[in-house]
Amino acid sequence: MARLSNHIEDYLRALLIEREGQIEIKRNVLAEHFNCAPSQINYVLTTRFTPVQGFFVESRRGGGGFIRIVQVEIKDDAHFYEQLTEAVGESITQSKANQILDTLLEAEYITENEHRLLGIALSDRSLAGASDKRNAVRADLLQNILLGIFS
């Protein structure tokens, strides 16, 4: 399923580039294109096109329903920091932490090398000793990393 999600994300990102950061598409047409259920499209939208990642998504359901995705430029560091820390919260999975690192890389807050090193430091393997508190420890680490980046 992750592979299909990657294909849908890549397709939508390519459309966003082609159409200068804004697309409008029918959910059913997209689902037919990828031969999947509309819920798979919803999954991709809610996990890979979030405000923290720099996207505004508007969705209308029904016969005339559509999906509008607008890529927004991150201009306000304080607001961006607030969004990121809120997304991290008190507990975060490795997958969600990696999404935040990807966002920081895309927005050029961190380098490729920093992205790689932070990904290793925040991995389940690195936090294996924390066992059942791993996600809380990861959140604490990531909150401190964000504080360091934005201060």
Side-chain angles (χ1 to χ4, degrees), residues 52-114:
V52 169
Q53 295 165 317
F55 296 97
F56 170 76
V57 178
E58 180 182 0
S59 179
R60 296 239 171 98
R61 296 178 186 250
F66 65 88
I67 301 163
R68 180 179 297 131
I69 305 172
V70 180
Q71 190 166 11
V72 293
E73 191 175 322
I74 299 164
K75 293 182 179 176
D76 181 359
D77 283 349
H79 180 67
F80 186 48
Y81 170 73
E82 209 173 281
Q83 282 186 309
L84 290 173
T85 56
E86 186 176 310
V88 172
E90 294 181 14
S91 177
I92 190 167
T93 64
Q94 179 178 345
S95 174
K96 294 222 184 264
N98 287 338
Q99 287 178 354
I100 289 175
L101 293 177
D102 291 346
T103 300
L104 290 168
L105 178 64
E106 279 183 35
E108 299 179 351
Y109 283 95
I110 60 174
T111 66
E112 287 276 349
N113 195 42
E114 290 166 336

Side-chain angles (χ1 to χ4, degrees), residues 8 11-12 15-16 19 21-32 34 36-46 48-49 55-71:
I8 295 168
Y11 178 79
L12 292 172
L15 281 177
L16 282 163
R19 298 185 186 164
Q22 183 171 338
I23 58 173
E24 192 171 300
I25 191 165
K26 290 192 174 280
R27 183 186 336 269
N28 288 339
V29 170
L30 195 56
E32 285 176 23
F34 285 98
C36 68
S39 62
Q40 181 68 33
I41 304 301
N42 291 342
Y43 169 79
V44 172
L45 293 174
T46 57
R48 305 193 183 189
F49 293 89
F55 296 97
F56 170 76
V57 178
E58 180 182 0
S59 179
R60 296 239 171 98
R61 296 178 186 250
F66 65 88
I67 301 163
R68 180 179 297 131
I69 305 172
V70 180
Q71 190 166 11

Side-chain angles (χ1 to χ4, degrees), residues 7 18 21 25 46-47 65-66 76 117 123 132 134:
H7 289 303
E18 182 181 302
I25 191 165
T46 57
T47 60
F66 65 88
D76 181 359
L117 292 172
S123 71
D132 61 332
R134 179 175 48 218

